[in-house]
Amino acid sequence: MSDHWYGNKGLKSKEAIINGNYDIVVLQGSSSEAVKKKDEFFKYSKKLSDLVKASGAKPYLYVPWPPKKFPQFQEKITESYQQASKESDCGLVMVGEAWKLAKTLRPDIQLYLPDGSHPTDLGAFLTACAFVNTLSGELPKNLPDRFFITDSDGKEVMLFRENSMNIAFCLKVIQGL
C-alpha cells in the first residue's frame, strides 16, 4: 500500500484516485503485507481510503488469498483486512474467504496456477463472483446454474452457485462430472 501512496515503481495511484471520478475504488495490499507489516498496512490503507472518500468514491479493500503453500495465513489476512476496514470505514471484498470456502467444499479444486500464487481461470471466476456479489448484492441473473470451464490441467470443471450465510454466497465446485 505504501508503494501506491508514495508513487514507487512508477505508480500513479493517488493521481488516478483524485482525477478518476470513480464511484468505487478497490485497494489491495499483498497477502504478506497484511500479516508481516500490519502497522504499515493499516497506516497506508487508511491514507488511501481517506483519499478515495475525499475524491467522492467509496473505498473497498480486496481481501486476498494466501500463497498455496500457506493456507493457514488466511485467518490472519482476513483479520488484518477486517481491522483495516473498521479503521478506514470502507467495504470489504472477501475473495480469500471465498477461496477458503471453495477449498473446504472441494479440497482438490485447482484455484492456483503452478506458481502457487496467481489464479487459474476457475480462481479468477470465483474472484469475479465475489466482486459482483459484494458490489451488487447478488450474482448475475443471466449466469447459468451450471457453468463449465476448462481448468489449467485441461479438465472440464462444473461450477454451481447458491446463497450462503458466511460470505453472502457460496460456490459449490464439483470437478470431473
Side-chain angles (χ1 to χ4, degrees):
M1 293 278 199
S2 65
D3 285 343
H4 289 282
W5 185 256
Y6 290 112
N8 297 339
K9 303 174 187 173
L11 295 170
K12 298 183 186 215
S13 305
K14 287 173 34 178
E15 293 84 359
I17 291 168
I18 293 166
N19 299 319
N21 195 28
Y22 301 111
D23 295 322
I24 294 170
V25 175
V26 178
L27 305 168
Q28 178 196 358
S30 71
S31 59
S32 63
E33 176 183 21
V35 174
K36 296 178 182 177
K37 298 179 180 180
K38 285 169 68 168
D39 291 338
E40 182 177 306
F41 172 72
F42 296 144
K43 177 180 178 179
Y44 291 102
S45 62
K46 173 91 168 96
K47 285 179 172 277
L48 288 165
S49 292
D50 288 347
L51 184 65
V52 169
K53 288 184 271 187
S55 76
K58 176 158 178 55
Y60 282 83
L61 294 175
Y62 175 155
V63 182
W65 55 86
K68 184 177 183 178
K69 61 185 174 183
F70 300 113
Q72 69 275 16
F73 287 160
Q74 186 62 61
E75 186 176 333
K76 291 179 181 180
I77 293 166
T78 299
E79 287 173 1
S80 290
Y81 272 84
Q82 286 172 329
Q83 183 177 342
S85 172
K86 287 177 187 169
E87 292 178 8
S88 303
D89 188 31
C90 62
L92 290 168
V93 183
M94 303 295 278
V95 174
E97 290 295 318
W99 278 45
K100 179 181 169 184
L101 179 57
K103 292 296 283 180
T104 299
L105 293 171
R106 185 66 191 243
D108 61 338
I109 189 172
Q110 298 299 316
L111 298 177
Y112 295 91
L113 287 174
D115 68 5
S117 183
H118 294 93
T120 61
D121 289 346
L122 180 59
F125 177 81
L126 181 58
T127 298
C129 286
F131 270 90
V132 170
N133 184 259
T134 299
L135 300 178
S136 73
E138 59 185 46
L139 289 174
K141 295 198 185 322
N142 62 350
L143 188 66
D145 288 335
R146 294 181 182 192
F147 181 79
F148 293 88
I149 65 167
T150 302
D151 72 9
S152 59
D153 295 327
K155 295 180 183 175
E156 189 169 60
V157 178
M158 184 182 355
L159 305 173
F160 290 91
R161 63 184 173 93
E162 65 181 47
N163 289 331
S164 167
M165 293 172 45
N166 287 341
I167 54 174
F169 79 99
C170 164
L171 288 179
K172 284 190 176 180
V173 182
I174 299 174
Q175 188 171 359
L177 295 178

